[in-house]
Amino acid sequence: MTRRTLVLGGARSGKSAHAEGLLPADEEVLYVATGRRDPTDPEWTARIDAHIARRPHTWRTVEASRELADVVRAAKGATLVDDVATWLTGVMDAAGAWEGAGLDLVRREGAMLVEAVAATEARVVLVSSEVGLGVVPHTRSGRLFRDELGALNTALAQRCDEVLLLVAGIPMRLR
């Protein structure tokens, strides 16, 4: 049985909806939302609300920022994390790592998440962006984020039983 799944994809590839479809709609699922609400950004709020609206009523949502590894480690039932890239953005913000300082903390947080995914007995589905297929970012911070997320996705993929890549809404099984 698949216990740990990583669902990768680009922007608007359908990765979140596909990941949601991997878990039972009629059972309790812990939906771990990593996107922080910003009351000054109505477009972002609308995106969050659209995600909430399509979730089954049996699912429970928690918001997790820095404590994501703890939430995954403590999970008892089916758990969906959406998404790792947004979580990493928050970790990099908190560490002040956008210019390269604070990367030790970012990498420790990432390693703790990977360890939690490996250790949990729960069924876990992780959603993350695949940012390595595009152009090389123009800014240092963009390249840094791409590199850090790529390394984290690689480490998570090594711990997952199943890895899927969505392209234009079509899932492809990598493992």
Side-chain angles (χ1 to χ4, degrees):
M1 179 179 117
T2 300
R3 195 170 83 220
R4 295 175 296 254
T5 300
L6 177 61
V7 179
L8 300 166
R12 311 308 276 177
S13 64
K15 60 189 176 291
S16 293
H18 185 80
E20 291 166 6
L22 297 174
L23 296 170
D26 58 345
E27 295 178 21
E28 185 174 307
V29 171
L30 178 63
Y31 186 102
V32 184
T34 62
R36 297 172 292 182
R37 286 189 180 268
D38 179 354
T40 67
D41 188 343
E43 187 270 339
W44 182 246
T45 298
R47 285 176 182 248
I48 291 172
D49 290 344
H51 274 247
I52 292 169
R54 74 171 181 234
R55 285 182 217 143
H57 71 280
T58 55
W59 291 18
R60 182 172 58 94
T61 301
V62 297
E63 294 181 5
S65 53
R66 295 285 301 278
E67 68 282 354
L68 182 57
D70 294 335
V71 172
V72 170
R73 187 174 288 108
K76 299 296 181 210
T79 303
L80 174 66
V81 176
D82 194 1
D83 80 22
V84 173
T86 304
W87 172 79
L88 181 63
T89 300
V91 171
M92 291 181 73
D93 283 346
W98 291 106
E99 294 302 320
L103 285 178
D104 289 343
L105 174 61
V106 170
R107 291 174 182 154
R108 273 195 308 274
E109 294 274 344
M112 289 180 356
L113 175 59
V114 172
E115 291 169 15
V117 168
T120 188
E121 294 296 320
R123 167 73 168 113
V124 176
V125 177
L126 303 146
V127 177
S128 190
S129 294
E130 177 50 68
V131 294
L133 298 174
V135 297
V136 175
H138 177 70
T139 63
R140 173 176 166 69
S141 58
R143 291 186 300 272
L144 185 63
F145 177 76
R146 179 205 56 192
D147 294 348
E148 292 302 314
L149 183 58
L152 181 54
N153 284 345
T154 298
L156 287 168
Q158 291 172 348
R159 297 298 193 169
C160 287
D161 310 303
E162 178 180 51
V163 180
L164 305 171
L165 174 66
L166 268 85
V167 177
I170 301 169
M172 296 180 287
R173 183 175 308 280
L174 304 178
R175 174 178 319 127

